Amino acid sequence: LRVGYPEVIYCEGKTTEQVKRIIEFMLTKEKNIIATRANEEMYKAVKEICEIAHYNKLGRIITIRKEEEKYTKGYIAIVSAGTSDLPVVEEAYETAKILGNRVEKIIDVGVAGIHRLLAKLDIIRQAKVIIVVAGMEGALASVVGGLVDKPVIAVPTSVGYGANFGGLSSLLSMLNSCASGVSVVNIDNGFGAAYNASIINKL
Amino acid sequence: LRVGYPEVIYCEGKTTEQVKRIIEFMLTKEKNIIATRANEEMYKAVKEICEIAHYNKLGRIITIRKEEEKYTKGYIAIVSAGTSDLPVVEEAYETAKILGNRVEKIIDVGVAGIHRLLAKLDIIRQAKVIIVVAGMEGALASVVGGLVDKPVIAVPTSVGYGANFGGLSSLLSMLNSCASGVSVVNIDNGFGAAYNASIINKL
Amino acid sequence: LRVGYPEVIYCEGKTTEQVKRIIEFMLTKEKNIIATRANEEMYKAVKEICEIAHYNKLGRIITIRKEEEKYTKGYIAIVSAGTSDLPVVEEAYETAKILGNRVEKIIDVGVAGIHRLLAKLDIIRQAKVIIVVAGMEGALASVVGGLVDKPVIAVPTSVGYGANFGGLSSLLSMLNSCASGVSVVNIDNGFGAAYNASIINKL
Amino acid sequence: LRVGYPEVIYCEGKTTEQVKRIIEFMLTKEKNIIATRANEEMYKAVKEICEIAHYNKLGRIITIRKEEEKYTKGYIAIVSAGTSDLPVVEEAYETAKILGNRVEKIIDVGVAGIHRLLAKLDIIRQAKVIIVVAGMEGALASVVGGLVDKPVIAVPTSVGYGANFGGLSSLLSMLNSCASGVSVVNIDNGFGAAYNASIINKL
Amino acid sequence: LRVGYPEVIYCEGKTTEQVKRIIEFMLTKEKNIIATRANEEMYKAVKEICEIAHYNKLGRIITIRKEEEKYTKGYIAIVSAGTSDLPVVEEAYETAKILGNRVEKIIDVGVAGIHRLLAKLDIIRQAKVIIVVAGMEGALASVVGGLVDKPVIAVPTSVGYGANFGGLSSLLSMLNSCASGVSVVNIDNGFGAAYNASIINKL
Amino acid sequence: LRVGYPEVIYCEGKTTEQVKRIIEFMLTKEKNIIATRANEEMYKAVKEICEIAHYNKLGRIITIRKEEEKYTKGYIAIVSAGTSDLPVVEEAYETAKILGNRVEKIIDVGVAGIHRLLAKLDIIRQAKVIIVVAGMEGALASVVGGLVDKPVIAVPTSVGYGANFGGLSSLLSMLNSCASGVSVVNIDNGFGAAYNASIINKL
Amino acid sequence: LRVGYPEVIYCEGKTTEQVKRIIEFMLTKEKNIIATRANEEMYKAVKEICEIAHYNKLGRIITIRKEEEKYTKGYIAIVSAGTSDLPVVEEAYETAKILGNRVEKIIDVGVAGIHRLLAKLDIIRQAKVIIVVAGMEGALASVVGGLVDKPVIAVPTSVGYGANFGGLSSLLSMLNSCASGVSVVNIDNGFGAAYNASIINKL
Amino acid sequence: LRVGYPEVIYCEGKTTEQVKRIIEFMLTKEKNIIATRANEEMYKAVKEICEIAHYNKLGRIITIRKEEEKYTKGYIAIVSAGTSDLPVVEEAYETAKILGNRVEKIIDVGVAGIHRLLAKLDIIRQAKVIIVVAGMEGALASVVGGLVDKPVIAVPTSVGYGANFGGLSSLLSMLNSCASGVSVVNIDNGFGAAYNASIINKL
Ligand SMILES: Nc1ncnc2c1ncn2[C@@H]1O[C@H](COP(=O)(O)O)[C@@H](O)[C@H]1O
Ligand SMILES: Nc1ncnc2c1ncn2[C@@H]1O[C@H](COP(=O)(O)O)[C@@H](O)[C@H]1O
Ligand SMILES: Nc1ncnc2c1ncn2[C@@H]1O[C@H](COP(=O)(O)O)[C@@H](O)[C@H]1O
Ligand SMILES: Nc1ncnc2c1ncn2[C@@H]1O[C@H](COP(=O)(O)O)[C@@H](O)[C@H]1O
Ligand SMILES: [Mg+2]
Ligand SMILES: [Mg+2]
Ligand SMILES: [Mg+2]
Ligand SMILES: [Mg+2]
Ligand SMILES: [Mg+2]
Ligand SMILES: [Mg+2]
Ligand SMILES: [Mg+2]
Ligand SMILES: [Mg+2]
């Protein structure tokens, strides 16, 4: 169905051996490959059978480029609050890039310091679609949603503790956003947000 | 910020008197007006002060057109399973229309009868963006998501009983969709889905 | 223990007859009286036995002033997003006033329009303590908390639907605020927030 | 009560020593034995006292055949979406086999690629009873339920993350199935589903 | 797909007018009709257009027999604890009957008086499939499941209060049954249980 | 306040060093000592400073007898279903014994095999107070409660998986018991149940 | 089994007609009768067929005394915080009385005014068993539990709003009581608490 | 914005390397530093680059004093029940101290022994603001709140097991406090409570 789309493998709960064998099989096709939630051991095993495999450690994601992507003119903005959300930001970033999108990261703009966000407004507003990654109270999605007139894809993260309940607080917060134009994907699902944003960016 | 956007009022929890007064004020501007979750009494009160007010009873939504919308070339497809989800479908439909979008409704295609869905695949696939409205187990979003390569905005509905827990079952189902390209808005939020779809349809 | 504090009665779940009798008894003491969650029928019954009873209909609260309060020099700011949160705002307002506090209301400053909030920053920052009332995603508490260096008491409201789960979304959001200096009271508890703010304002 | 039924032991939370001793005792009877949720260490310990013990590693299940089962004429179909659900599939498979059932596995038919499922429809429809194993949004149970007129036993799995909440999303999804003829067992309970299916298959 | 199956309509959330019109249309086909969750007003409206409509008030279910069902040789036993669960029992009973099944009701056998249940054991054990309807702690499903070697379909009911949380207590109880051979349908879903039991009874 | 009661220490979340020091201090008084949730390392450390320390490994509980208890005439019955609940049974047993109670354990009587329970009815009924320990669906508390006219203290255990949610299923089940005379303590709280039973047994 | 125990009927969810007919049947036996959760209409209907029926309106409970109870020497203390919990207190009171117990009510002793509780300590401590009825945070059970050495049966009530979640806050609070000797019954279950206390009081 | 405030770093989920590098950068400014949720390895790494780093092991918190704080005249009282809550107490203590507050700890005053609390009432009442740290049923916040007329900041802790659900029981308990003047921060958030108390103490 989806010509030109990469092969995707979700590594969580698979053994290194399984990941290696699946990728070995995928390499027989002429497609790019994304392996999400991959640990370093998996990367090393993949590297053995594929020289060009690239690993984003923070984002726990392996990418293999069989064909060079052509970048879109419009870009995706990935906006987030702080260092704890970076693994999800990086998963989204790598996914968006290998899918052929120009991407801008704006990563130190939490709502507790609203002026830092306002200072980056231009670059955010000129994006064609915006991914907002936020944990704890997830307020960033509403604030950004109110400042732009582009689609906002919100990714709640499991960052936090106590009454965070594994990302529930930011998930509910984002689903109840008072700003129009915000839709939501699963907790920590940087891959899904980027995939979605890519479809929109290429419309 | 948002030139050309209509004024929007959410009527739930407001008195008929409040709704009337707010709309009276809005009428002084040259913008279209949407009033969601409005009951018939509210509609009658609004009709008194505005001849051209239109009421979609099933969708509990009042629309007032001060300026005629120009329709987009691409269209939004609204896909749903059965009669119980129709109020949310209609809320989305009216919203999408007044925002200037061509819309196609495909409303009798629940997953328990997959062939009815497959029979409508052409019209769904040719849409620029797709809204899926589904209650109970919300499986329709995943099935549609797997059949198209356009952005899918999923609206869980509160239709159901027992272990449905007010829409929780379809909400969680849609957030965990195994199909890429699906994002989710709040339970019963037909307005939000259409607003979002409209932004995307006009990119 | 608490000299000078008013008598307080919580009317929800009490009959009009019970409320009337309790207030009748309270009137024998030389103290101010607050009756929260009171409906109009209750107010009428109280009015019969007490000429000076005052009713804030939106805030569903009756106040009776036996002794005139002396107002504090510092003031409490009550900040909220929109019309749906007004009942809680008014409950907090009446409570704060009869407890002897100067109060400023700033009520149309939701996070989806951040510039309206920034325009009111001076009056918020000069308060001695700030109450933030917000439903849906409750993001306002974090944004305000990041802009001031005074204590912020956050009141989640039950305003919303679907994944709001009766105020749970804004409650969790506020408890997980990334801004320091924010503490939280029960959903819709405008009385408790004002009582708390009053203690702080009078320190 | 249940003549001809095997002895069953659930190993989770038991020590290797305990498992070994319980099976040692069971071996004194003339019955088949099933040990579910058994790790490899347990298997090795059992192997020492019972040469014919067989271990399905993926399904974490030990089976010991004292009497050869006679297979049924009708068969049980086990349908699932992807590799992550395989441990539950295998637990169900081994249980169904030792209980004397013919079994067909159809394991790569997730709802995001509905045509793969439709291609296998014949073999599914000819089964006497169908087990559907699915994690994430669990939509497969509804889709299969709508395509067959045989009893469907749905097994939600804990496969997923974030708003999956340990299998809650697919559990609720399956309980709210819009397809008639679907009943549900506990999350990850491949054993229970197969036991149930076996009773039905032998009616 | 399902030759010989009746038409089914779920009336909850539909208007009397809608129910009447849907049934009017169904009457043009040569099939039996079941309308669940129907109130008396709906029944009266249906009666006007269909003389032979029959109403089970306690079970809130309308049945219309266009063709006389032939009863099965084996029977379905419906087992329940007390009077509060009767509406669900009756919904299951009427559904099972019109689907052509012999049915035995055993309705006063709660676990707090185990001897009453044991006294009815023969009639329960001779059934081909058993439906257990129970609210509160739902223990009846496990006790019955341990006493029979036939498939047990458990229906949790919303009967109870407080920590019952709308049927959650008996739902979880039944899903965690320590007795093998028990599967579960949605809370209060007497229709679904009977439909399922009917498929099994006719295998 | 409580003359003759032992000193009690809850070891979970404490270091071996802390446990040792606290018990060292307790040994200076003339009282018996109970240390619950203690691991073997803790026991060894305690043994070094107290020869007479006794460890029940399964129950993870250390007891130290400075004064010999005199046993009550009436006894406490501890009833449970299977091997998985034994740790909680043993915690209750040791606690009840050192508090000076005669105790009878009846430990293989799960509801899925009701006749085993009925066979032990005499010894259960002659107890002065009964503790029921059960995980999964917790049905045993209701069944026992219906068979005796003595107070039943129900202890839900966290034994189970999936929709057990850490003991929630049996907790809710027991709180909703249809049998009168059943009260409930926290999940896995064998100590609390025995303490409570001891107070009642000594009345 | 239980000679001398009254007949009990739970009226919630039954029609006045059903209640009347059930009691009519019960009146043919020589036993006392308790009807809980009965509204005034039910009482009037019962009064028609039974002159001696007595109604406690606040406690929503009908009692019918066929044989005069003999009161115990020891008494049950019912302790609660304020007026909102009174319906549950009265349900417990009437139940305890007709079961033949002496009862003392201590009803204005919430933890926010600990000295009022301490002033009543003597009468609480001399009881043979204590029922604590409390809503909101349910702290009263722990405080009382720490002050007495008798069994405490805690009844959480659904009194409160917002994060009370229908009694969940006081239920969890009581289950986690740091005071030993506290066991818990279902939310608002005054009847169950009194039944339990009566068994203990008569040991 | 906040002159004189220290730099704060939350170490959970960061690597030792990251923590070290962030603090290295912070050391270039003339501000005090707080690192919460830091383990010993992190402390050692920080010690290498900063001689004056101080570690509170129990409170898992590193503090670095570049400028000596001047202490306030009024003090913060930190009240808690037992040894298990001490990590949160210590986090609050260190935070309050480095922010320049006088602090009094009152740490052995659980509600199950109310007299120990009453014995410490003077020192609690004379504080300007009070932090109450409590796990399990969290009743201490209500009891203290009822005894003082100063603001109470309640910190629920995750101490407990079973129906504690990771601190949910004390969180809900504190949010529903019947004592006025109590506000709540996130579970285990000793830092936030102290930060908040410090703002109030310095008003
Ligand atoms: N991080 C992720 N989160 C959610 N879904 C993912 C993620 N990575 C991959 N997927 C999806 O998982 C599928 C691959 O699953 P599998 O075949 O089990 O490896 C892909 O088609 C994606 O749609
Ligand atoms: N709206 C409110 N929300 C929470 N607590 C309240 C409210 N109004 C009054 N209260 C508290 O309820 C107490 C009175 O309760 P009652 O005696 O039942 O009327 C007062 O002392 C207040 O502390
Ligand atoms: N994987 C499983 N899931 C649920 N129940 C199981 C499983 N395996 C075994 N059982 C049940 O557990 C019982 C044995 O438990 P035990 O005596 O603790 O080993 C058997 O009778 C089965 O009914
Ligand atoms: N009481 C019930 N509970 C659950 N599902 C039902 C019930 N009654 C009918 N249904 C299902 O609902 C479908 C009809 O829905 P509708 O077309 O909305 O009336 C039928 O095909 C049944 O599968
Ligand atoms: Mg926007
Ligand atoms: Mg798609
Ligand atoms: Mg601040
Ligand atoms: Mg089917
Ligand atoms: Mg069975
Ligand atoms: Mg009993
Ligand atoms: Mg006690
Ligand atoms: Mg106070």
Side-chain angles (χ1 to χ4, degrees), chain F residues 88-176:
Chain F
V88 180
V89 167
E90 289 304 307
E91 185 179 293
Y93 177 79
E94 292 288 343
T95 302
K97 290 301 285 186
I98 200 170
L99 287 168
N101 299 279
R102 273 179 59 212
V103 184
E104 294 288 338
K105 287 190 269 189
I106 301 100
I107 61 173
D108 198 29
V109 292
V111 295
I114 206 78
H115 292 292
R116 281 193 308 244
L117 175 65
L118 297 178
K120 298 284 178 61
L121 212 47
D122 273 4
I123 198 163
I124 298 174
R125 277 190 177 147
Q126 284 159 24
K128 196 155 166 204
V129 50
I130 297 142
I131 294 171
V132 175
V133 178
M136 304 184 81
E137 87 281 65
L140 191 59
S142 292
V143 176
V144 171
L147 290 167
V148 304
D149 55 4
K150 299 293 167 38
V152 172
I153 298 168
V155 193
T157 73
S158 55
V159 168
Y161 63 89
N164 173 278
F165 297 120
L168 185 68
S169 60
S170 55
L171 172 64
L172 294 185
S173 182
M174 287 167 168
L175 285 167
N176 285 283

Side-chain angles (χ1 to χ4, degrees), chain B residues 22-33:
Chain B
I22 295 172
I23 288 185
E24 198 159 24
F25 174 73
M26 286 173 169
L27 285 167
T28 62
K29 310 187 191 175
E30 280 317 294
K31 282 179 150 181
N32 289 342
I33 296 172

Side-chain angles (χ1 to χ4, degrees), chain B residues 112 137 139 142 146 163 169 173 176 178, chain D residues 112 136-137 139 142 146 163 169 173 176 178:
Chain B
E137 87 280 63
S142 292
S169 60
S173 183
N176 285 283
C178 58
Chain D
M136 303 184 82
E137 86 281 64
S142 292
S169 60
S173 183
N176 284 282
C178 58

Side-chain angles (χ1 to χ4, degrees), chain E residues 78-147:
Chain E
I78 305 180
V79 181
S80 86
T83 46
S84 311
D85 297 320
L86 286 185
V88 179
V89 167
E90 289 303 307
E91 184 178 295
Y93 177 79
E94 292 288 342
T95 302
K97 290 300 286 186
I98 201 170
L99 288 169
N101 299 280
R102 273 178 60 213
V103 184
E104 295 288 339
K105 285 189 269 189
I106 301 98
I107 61 171
D108 198 28
V109 294
V111 294
I114 207 78
H115 291 292
R116 284 193 308 245
L117 176 64
L118 297 179
K120 297 286 177 59
L121 212 48
D122 273 5
I123 198 164
I124 297 174
R125 278 193 177 144
Q126 283 158 25
K128 197 157 164 202
V129 50
I130 297 144
I131 294 172
V132 176
V133 179
M136 304 182 81
E137 88 278 65
L140 192 59
S142 292
V143 175
V144 170
L147 290 167

